[in-house]
Amino acid sequence: MNYHDSEFEDHLRSLLRHTRRVAPCILAIVVLTFSACSDDEPEGYFGQCPAGAEFDSEADRCVVTTDAGGDDSEWSELADTPSSPSEDTGDEPSEDTGDEPPPCAHDQCGDDCVDLTSSPVHCGECNQACDAPRSCQDGQCICPGSDDYCGGDCIDTSTDDNHCGSCGNTCPGGELCVEGDCHPDEKVGGVIHHMNEARSTETDCDSEGVFPAAAPVEGHPLLHEASQVHADDMAENDFFSHEGSDGSSFSQRIYATGYSGSPVGENIAAGDTDPEIVVQRWLDSDGHCRNLMSSSANQVGIGFSLGGQWGSFWVLKLASGY
């Protein structure tokens, strides 16, 4: 179809006018989700302005009017902002408020949660208790210091004559345990040697009578200990007596060591350093000779100490061991 220029321009203006009138309505429907256009709207506008906006007939568009007296701003699809995501208002899962005990971080022994590396009642394994004075260290029952556990007792095997260096290693009679090794003691061994030599034959003890040969004796560490205590006491306090400076008797000093046998007697001497001479002096004394030859004695202890006005002190304790 052919049109004059003026007619074409009239048709074009009409088309544009109608397009401009319809566009706001379409925009409102698609972007702002308002209701469809109606015939009751002002001429030139076929839709509803959104809340807070008014139709400006001169501008032929919706404009926003501020309540605070500010400048009106043009409404456009760019003014629409997406709504913020709704917050989750649901209740979070409640925590377990029951009375169940926390999980055991160590080991379970019955109802008890225990550390098997340090528990004195469950040491290394459940129900394995450490008896005093041992403690549980790294799952093992350990004696204090460097002591070893021998026959139910904590023993210093560096000095114990019955457990010298190791449990059950007993030093022979006349030898002492020094730093875990059995060493012959000249004076201790000398006294026992000469005493057993005298006991091997019948011996006349004058007023005490004649004694038949008796079995040899052997040294005992607890008797050695009791003898040495008294020898040191006499040397340090410079006295010569069977009664200790604390008033103790020879038998009390024996029992104080924990010895379980029965005391038989005690011999003391002063001023000599040769074991053979000391034994002979006791044989020459009736009462001391009787002790040396006693068939009741089978264990002895010897103590020797330097000091005091006599220069040296000897102590021999005799007992009947079981």
Side-chain angles (χ1 to χ4, degrees), residues 179-207:
E179 296 182 354
D181 291 319
C182 294
H183 294 277
D185 183 274
E186 180 183 351
K187 291 182 170 48
V188 173
V191 169
I192 293 176
H193 170 71
H194 292 293
M195 181 178 173
N196 282 333
E197 194 174 61
R199 287 169 65 90
S200 66
T201 62
E202 183 182 85
T203 301
D204 184 0
C205 293
D206 203 1
S207 64

PDB file of all heavy atoms in Angstrom, residues 179-207:
ATOM      1  N   GLU A 179      77.873 -52.314  96.207  1.00  0.00           N
ATOM      2  CA  GLU A 179      77.552 -51.869  94.858  1.00  0.00           C
ATOM      3  C   GLU A 179      77.104 -53.028  93.964  1.00  0.00           C
ATOM      4  O   GLU A 179      77.446 -53.117  92.796  1.00  0.00           O
ATOM      5  CB  GLU A 179      78.745 -51.153  94.220  1.00  0.00           C
ATOM      6  CG  GLU A 179      79.118 -49.865  94.948  1.00  0.00           C
ATOM      7  CD  GLU A 179      80.273 -49.138  94.297  1.00  0.00           C
ATOM      8  OE1 GLU A 179      80.857 -49.700  93.340  1.00  0.00           O
ATOM      9  OE2 GLU A 179      80.590 -48.023  94.734  1.00  0.00           O
ATOM     10  N   GLY A 180      76.324 -53.931  94.556  1.00  0.00           N
ATOM     11  CA  GLY A 180      75.726 -55.017  93.782  1.00  0.00           C
ATOM     12  C   GLY A 180      76.611 -56.223  93.575  1.00  0.00           C
ATOM     13  O   GLY A 180      76.223 -57.158  92.870  1.00  0.00           O
ATOM     14  N   ASP A 181      77.787 -56.250  94.184  1.00  0.00           N
ATOM     15  CA  ASP A 181      78.705 -57.402  94.076  1.00  0.00           C
ATOM     16  C   ASP A 181      79.101 -57.878  95.462  1.00  0.00           C
ATOM     17  O   ASP A 181      79.263 -57.081  96.396  1.00  0.00           O
ATOM     18  CB  ASP A 181      79.963 -57.033  93.285  1.00  0.00           C
ATOM     19  CG  ASP A 181      79.679 -56.781  91.818  1.00  0.00           C
ATOM     20  OD1 ASP A 181      78.879 -57.545  91.236  1.00  0.00           O
ATOM     21  OD2 ASP A 181      80.235 -55.815  91.250  1.00  0.00           O
ATOM     22  N   CYS A 182      79.282 -59.217  95.591  1.00  0.00           N
ATOM     23  CA  CYS A 182      79.721 -59.795  96.858  1.00  0.00           C
ATOM     24  C   CYS A 182      81.243 -59.683  96.970  1.00  0.00           C
ATOM     25  O   CYS A 182      81.979 -60.122  96.071  1.00  0.00           O
ATOM     26  CB  CYS A 182      79.311 -61.265  96.937  1.00  0.00           C
ATOM     27  SG  CYS A 182      77.513 -61.522  96.999  1.00  0.00           S
ATOM     28  N   HIS A 183      81.696 -59.073  98.057  1.00  0.00           N
ATOM     29  CA  HIS A 183      83.129 -58.889  98.274  1.00  0.00           C
ATOM     30  C   HIS A 183      83.512 -59.488  99.621  1.00  0.00           C
ATOM     31  O   HIS A 183      82.838 -59.250 100.623  1.00  0.00           O
ATOM     32  CB  HIS A 183      83.503 -57.407  98.271  1.00  0.00           C
ATOM     33  CG  HIS A 183      83.316 -56.755  96.933  1.00  0.00           C
ATOM     34  ND1 HIS A 183      84.259 -56.840  95.934  1.00  0.00           N
ATOM     35  CD2 HIS A 183      82.303 -56.017  96.432  1.00  0.00           C
ATOM     36  CE1 HIS A 183      83.833 -56.168  94.873  1.00  0.00           C
ATOM     37  NE2 HIS A 183      82.640 -55.675  95.151  1.00  0.00           N
ATOM     38  N   PRO A 184      84.624 -60.249  99.658  1.00  0.00           N
ATOM     39  CA  PRO A 184      85.103 -60.770 100.950  1.00  0.00           C
ATOM     40  C   PRO A 184      85.487 -59.611 101.863  1.00  0.00           C
ATOM     41  O   PRO A 184      86.153 -58.667 101.447  1.00  0.00           O
ATOM     42  CB  PRO A 184      86.334 -61.600 100.573  1.00  0.00           C
ATOM     43  CG  PRO A 184      86.154 -61.922  99.127  1.00  0.00           C
ATOM     44  CD  PRO A 184      85.444 -60.735  98.540  1.00  0.00           C
ATOM     45  N   ASP A 185      85.012 -59.657 103.089  1.00  0.00           N
ATOM     46  CA  ASP A 185      85.380 -58.640 104.072  1.00  0.00           C
ATOM     47  C   ASP A 185      86.420 -59.259 105.013  1.00  0.00           C
ATOM     48  O   ASP A 185      86.140 -60.254 105.686  1.00  0.00           O
ATOM     49  CB  ASP A 185      84.147 -58.180 104.849  1.00  0.00           C
ATOM     50  CG  ASP A 185      84.471 -57.071 105.836  1.00  0.00           C
ATOM     51  OD1 ASP A 185      84.878 -57.408 106.965  1.00  0.00           O
ATOM     52  OD2 ASP A 185      84.317 -55.892 105.471  1.00  0.00           O
ATOM     53  N   GLU A 186      87.576 -58.660 105.036  1.00  0.00           N
ATOM     54  CA  GLU A 186      88.671 -59.237 105.802  1.00  0.00           C
ATOM     55  C   GLU A 186      88.318 -59.446 107.261  1.00  0.00           C
ATOM     56  O   GLU A 186      88.564 -60.509 107.833  1.00  0.00           O
ATOM     57  CB  GLU A 186      89.906 -58.329 105.681  1.00  0.00           C
ATOM     58  CG  GLU A 186      91.117 -58.838 106.458  1.00  0.00           C
ATOM     59  CD  GLU A 186      92.292 -57.896 106.376  1.00  0.00           C
ATOM     60  OE1 GLU A 186      92.222 -56.941 105.581  1.00  0.00           O
ATOM     61  OE2 GLU A 186      93.265 -58.117 107.123  1.00  0.00           O
ATOM     62  N   LYS A 187      87.731 -58.428 107.868  1.00  0.00           N
ATOM     63  CA  LYS A 187      87.447 -58.519 109.290  1.00  0.00           C
ATOM     64  C   LYS A 187      86.238 -59.396 109.564  1.00  0.00           C
ATOM     65  O   LYS A 187      86.256 -60.237 110.472  1.00  0.00           O
ATOM     66  CB  LYS A 187      87.268 -57.120 109.867  1.00  0.00           C
ATOM     67  CG  LYS A 187      88.590 -56.353 109.883  1.00  0.00           C
ATOM     68  CD  LYS A 187      88.424 -55.001 110.500  1.00  0.00           C
ATOM     69  CE  LYS A 187      89.795 -54.353 110.730  1.00  0.00           C
ATOM     70  NZ  LYS A 187      90.686 -54.426 109.562  1.00  0.00           N
ATOM     71  N   VAL A 188      85.178 -59.213 108.797  1.00  0.00           N
ATOM     72  CA  VAL A 188      83.988 -60.047 108.978  1.00  0.00           C
ATOM     73  C   VAL A 188      84.324 -61.503 108.663  1.00  0.00           C
ATOM     74  O   VAL A 188      84.028 -62.428 109.447  1.00  0.00           O
ATOM     75  CB  VAL A 188      82.840 -59.548 108.077  1.00  0.00           C
ATOM     76  CG1 VAL A 188      81.674 -60.531 108.135  1.00  0.00           C
ATOM     77  CG2 VAL A 188      82.380 -58.170 108.509  1.00  0.00           C
ATOM     78  N   GLY A 189      84.933 -61.689 107.503  1.00  0.00           N
ATOM     79  CA  GLY A 189      85.298 -63.062 107.125  1.00  0.00           C
ATOM     80  C   GLY A 189      86.295 -63.683 108.084  1.00  0.00           C
ATOM     81  O   GLY A 189      86.231 -64.894 108.370  1.00  0.00           O
ATOM     82  N   GLY A 190      87.229 -62.830 108.592  1.00  0.00           N
ATOM     83  CA  GLY A 190      88.234 -63.363 109.522  1.00  0.00           C
ATOM     84  C   GLY A 190      87.626 -63.857 110.812  1.00  0.00           C
ATOM     85  O   GLY A 190      87.984 -64.929 111.331  1.00  0.00           O
ATOM     86  N   VAL A 191      86.681 -63.090 111.386  1.00  0.00           N
ATOM     87  CA  VAL A 191      86.036 -63.493 112.634  1.00  0.00           C
ATOM     88  C   VAL A 191      85.270 -64.793 112.426  1.00  0.00           C
ATOM     89  O   VAL A 191      85.363 -65.733 113.250  1.00  0.00           O
ATOM     90  CB  VAL A 191      85.110 -62.386 113.155  1.00  0.00           C
ATOM     91  CG1 VAL A 191      84.246 -62.912 114.298  1.00  0.00           C
ATOM     92  CG2 VAL A 191      85.926 -61.187 113.609  1.00  0.00           C
ATOM     93  N   ILE A 192      84.484 -64.901 111.348  1.00  0.00           N
ATOM     94  CA  ILE A 192      83.694 -66.106 111.102  1.00  0.00           C
ATOM     95  C   ILE A 192      84.621 -67.304 110.885  1.00  0.00           C
ATOM     96  O   ILE A 192      84.368 -68.421 111.393  1.00  0.00           O
ATOM     97  CB  ILE A 192      82.759 -65.905 109.885  1.00  0.00           C
ATOM     98  CG1 ILE A 192      81.693 -64.845 110.226  1.00  0.00           C
ATOM     99  CG2 ILE A 192      82.105 -67.213 109.482  1.00  0.00           C
ATOM    100  CD1 ILE A 192      80.773 -64.494 109.074  1.00  0.00           C
ATOM    101  N   HIS A 193      85.709 -67.089 110.172  1.00  0.00           N
ATOM    102  CA  HIS A 193      86.649 -68.183 109.903  1.00  0.00           C
ATOM    103  C   HIS A 193      87.252 -68.728 111.210  1.00  0.00           C
ATOM    104  O   HIS A 193      87.235 -69.954 111.461  1.00  0.00           O
ATOM    105  CB  HIS A 193      87.763 -67.689 108.985  1.00  0.00           C
ATOM    106  CG  HIS A 193      88.890 -68.652 108.832  1.00  0.00           C
ATOM    107  ND1 HIS A 193      88.775 -69.831 108.116  1.00  0.00           N
ATOM    108  CD2 HIS A 193      90.163 -68.649 109.367  1.00  0.00           C
ATOM    109  CE1 HIS A 193      89.910 -70.494 108.170  1.00  0.00           C
ATOM    110  NE2 HIS A 193      90.782 -69.793 108.925  1.00  0.00           N
ATOM    111  N   HIS A 194      87.781 -67.851 112.045  1.00  0.00           N
ATOM    112  CA  HIS A 194      88.430 -68.306 113.276  1.00  0.00           C
ATOM    113  C   HIS A 194      87.412 -68.827 114.280  1.00  0.00           C
ATOM    114  O   HIS A 194      87.736 -69.757 115.071  1.00  0.00           O
ATOM    115  CB  HIS A 194      89.253 -67.168 113.869  1.00  0.00           C
ATOM    116  CG  HIS A 194      90.447 -66.807 113.033  1.00  0.00           C
ATOM    117  ND1 HIS A 194      91.526 -67.657 112.854  1.00  0.00           N
ATOM    118  CD2 HIS A 194      90.735 -65.683 112.320  1.00  0.00           C
ATOM    119  CE1 HIS A 194      92.417 -67.078 112.068  1.00  0.00           C
ATOM    120  NE2 HIS A 194      91.957 -65.874 111.732  1.00  0.00           N
ATOM    121  N   MET A 195      86.209 -68.291 114.251  1.00  0.00           N
ATOM    122  CA  MET A 195      85.161 -68.790 115.145  1.00  0.00           C
ATOM    123  C   MET A 195      84.766 -70.208 114.747  1.00  0.00           C
ATOM    124  O   MET A 195      84.637 -71.097 115.624  1.00  0.00           O
ATOM    125  CB  MET A 195      83.941 -67.865 115.076  1.00  0.00           C
ATOM    126  CG  MET A 195      82.802 -68.281 115.996  1.00  0.00           C
ATOM    127  SD  MET A 195      81.419 -67.095 115.874  1.00  0.00           S
ATOM    128  CE  MET A 195      80.183 -67.917 116.865  1.00  0.00           C
ATOM    129  N   ASN A 196      84.584 -70.482 113.474  1.00  0.00           N
ATOM    130  CA  ASN A 196      84.215 -71.822 113.019  1.00  0.00           C
ATOM    131  C   ASN A 196      85.365 -72.815 113.246  1.00  0.00           C
ATOM    132  O   ASN A 196      85.136 -74.022 113.481  1.00  0.00           O
ATOM    133  CB  ASN A 196      83.821 -71.801 111.549  1.00  0.00           C
ATOM    134  CG  ASN A 196      82.415 -71.257 111.342  1.00  0.00           C
ATOM    135  OD1 ASN A 196      81.555 -71.343 112.227  1.00  0.00           O
ATOM    136  ND2 ASN A 196      82.175 -70.680 110.163  1.00  0.00           N
ATOM    137  N   GLU A 197      86.554 -72.302 113.184  1.00  0.00           N
ATOM    138  CA  GLU A 197      87.713 -73.157 113.466  1.00  0.00           C
ATOM    139  C   GLU A 197      87.672 -73.628 114.926  1.00  0.00           C
ATOM    140  O   GLU A 197      87.941 -74.804 115.225  1.00  0.00           O
ATOM    141  CB  GLU A 197      89.004 -72.378 113.189  1.00  0.00           C
ATOM    142  CG  GLU A 197      90.255 -73.239 113.122  1.00  0.00           C
ATOM    143  CD  GLU A 197      91.471 -72.439 112.694  1.00  0.00           C
ATOM    144  OE1 GLU A 197      91.837 -71.463 113.424  1.00  0.00           O
ATOM    145  OE2 GLU A 197      92.032 -72.754 111.626  1.00  0.00           O
ATOM    146  N   ALA A 198      87.338 -72.730 115.841  1.00  0.00           N
ATOM    147  CA  ALA A 198      87.231 -73.095 117.257  1.00  0.00           C
ATOM    148  C   ALA A 198      86.055 -74.031 117.492  1.00  0.00           C
ATOM    149  O   ALA A 198      86.133 -74.967 118.324  1.00  0.00           O
ATOM    150  CB  ALA A 198      87.088 -71.837 118.107  1.00  0.00           C
ATOM    151  N   ARG A 199      84.951 -73.856 116.793  1.00  0.00           N
ATOM    152  CA  ARG A 199      83.746 -74.675 116.979  1.00  0.00           C
ATOM    153  C   ARG A 199      83.919 -76.075 116.392  1.00  0.00           C
ATOM    154  O   ARG A 199      83.112 -76.964 116.657  1.00  0.00           O
ATOM    155  CB  ARG A 199      82.533 -73.983 116.333  1.00  0.00           C
ATOM    156  CG  ARG A 199      82.048 -72.767 117.102  1.00  0.00           C
ATOM    157  CD  ARG A 199      81.028 -71.971 116.274  1.00  0.00           C
ATOM    158  NE  ARG A 199      79.809 -72.698 116.007  1.00  0.00           N
ATOM    159  CZ  ARG A 199      78.721 -72.701 116.775  1.00  0.00           C
ATOM    160  NH1 ARG A 199      78.723 -72.005 117.922  1.00  0.00           N
ATOM    161  NH2 ARG A 199      77.647 -73.385 116.437  1.00  0.00           N
ATOM    162  N   SER A 200      84.921 -76.269 115.592  1.00  0.00           N
ATOM    163  CA  SER A 200      85.104 -77.576 114.951  1.00  0.00           C
ATOM    164  C   SER A 200      85.647 -78.640 115.915  1.00  0.00           C
ATOM    165  O   SER A 200      85.647 -79.847 115.575  1.00  0.00           O
ATOM    166  CB  SER A 200      86.056 -77.434 113.755  1.00  0.00           C
ATOM    167  OG  SER A 200      87.365 -77.085 114.198  1.00  0.00           O
ATOM    168  N   THR A 201      86.105 -78.215 117.090  1.00  0.00           N
ATOM    169  CA  THR A 201      86.630 -79.167 118.082  1.00  0.00           C
ATOM    170  C   THR A 201      86.029 -78.865 119.453  1.00  0.00           C
ATOM    171  O   THR A 201      85.467 -77.785 119.691  1.00  0.00           O
ATOM    172  CB  THR A 201      88.167 -79.071 118.182  1.00  0.00           C
ATOM    173  OG1 THR A 201      88.532 -77.758 118.620  1.00  0.00           O
ATOM    174  CG2 THR A 201      88.811 -79.394 116.841  1.00  0.00           C
ATOM    175  N   GLU A 202      86.178 -79.834 120.361  1.00  0.00           N
ATOM    176  CA  GLU A 202      85.726 -79.633 121.740  1.00  0.00           C
ATOM    177  C   GLU A 202      86.547 -78.510 122.363  1.00  0.00           C
ATOM    178  O   GLU A 202      87.767 -78.442 122.210  1.00  0.00           O
ATOM    179  CB  GLU A 202      85.915 -80.931 122.520  1.00  0.00           C
ATOM    180  CG  GLU A 202      85.419 -80.868 123.947  1.00  0.00           C
ATOM    181  CD  GLU A 202      85.671 -82.175 124.672  1.00  0.00           C
ATOM    182  OE1 GLU A 202      86.786 -82.365 125.201  1.00  0.00           O
ATOM    183  OE2 GLU A 202      84.736 -82.998 124.688  1.00  0.00           O
ATOM    184  N   THR A 203      85.866 -77.626 123.101  1.00  0.00           N
ATOM    185  CA  THR A 203      86.526 -76.447 123.656  1.00  0.00           C
ATOM    186  C   THR A 203      86.185 -76.299 125.132  1.00  0.00           C
ATOM    187  O   THR A 203      85.016 -76.398 125.529  1.00  0.00           O
ATOM    188  CB  THR A 203      86.115 -75.175 122.886  1.00  0.00           C
ATOM    189  OG1 THR A 203      86.470 -75.333 121.514  1.00  0.00           O
ATOM    190  CG2 THR A 203      86.815 -73.962 123.451  1.00  0.00           C
ATOM    191  N   ASP A 204      87.257 -76.061 125.911  1.00  0.00           N
ATOM    192  CA  ASP A 204      87.086 -75.874 127.355  1.00  0.00           C
ATOM    193  C   ASP A 204      86.932 -74.383 127.644  1.00  0.00           C
ATOM    194  O   ASP A 204      87.809 -73.582 127.360  1.00  0.00           O
ATOM    195  CB  ASP A 204      88.323 -76.419 128.085  1.00  0.00           C
ATOM    196  CG  ASP A 204      88.186 -76.357 129.605  1.00  0.00           C
ATOM    197  OD1 ASP A 204      87.111 -75.879 130.089  1.00  0.00           O
ATOM    198  OD2 ASP A 204      89.120 -76.765 130.291  1.00  0.00           O
ATOM    199  N   CYS A 205      85.773 -74.009 128.190  1.00  0.00           N
ATOM    200  CA  CYS A 205      85.480 -72.609 128.525  1.00  0.00           C
ATOM    201  C   CYS A 205      85.580 -72.393 130.040  1.00  0.00           C
ATOM    202  O   CYS A 205      84.893 -71.515 130.592  1.00  0.00           O
ATOM    203  CB  CYS A 205      84.109 -72.226 128.010  1.00  0.00           C
ATOM    204  SG  CYS A 205      83.982 -72.203 126.211  1.00  0.00           S
ATOM    205  N   ASP A 206      86.442 -73.184 130.685  1.00  0.00           N
ATOM    206  CA  ASP A 206      86.752 -73.018 132.117  1.00  0.00           C
ATOM    207  C   ASP A 206      85.475 -73.061 132.967  1.00  0.00           C
ATOM    208  O   ASP A 206      84.825 -74.101 133.011  1.00  0.00           O
ATOM    209  CB  ASP A 206      87.533 -71.730 132.321  1.00  0.00           C
ATOM    210  CG  ASP A 206      88.355 -71.725 133.607  1.00  0.00           C
ATOM    211  OD1 ASP A 206      88.335 -72.747 134.329  1.00  0.00           O
ATOM    212  OD2 ASP A 206      88.965 -70.705 133.906  1.00  0.00           O
ATOM    213  N   SER A 207      85.136 -71.956 133.607  1.00  0.00           N
ATOM    214  CA  SER A 207      84.004 -71.971 134.545  1.00  0.00           C
ATOM    215  C   SER A 207      82.677 -72.278 133.867  1.00  0.00           C
ATOM    216  O   SER A 207      81.716 -72.696 134.518  1.00  0.00           O
ATOM    217  CB  SER A 207      83.907 -70.639 135.283  1.00  0.00           C
ATOM    218  OG  SER A 207      83.621 -69.569 134.404  1.00  0.00           O
TER     219      SER A 207
END
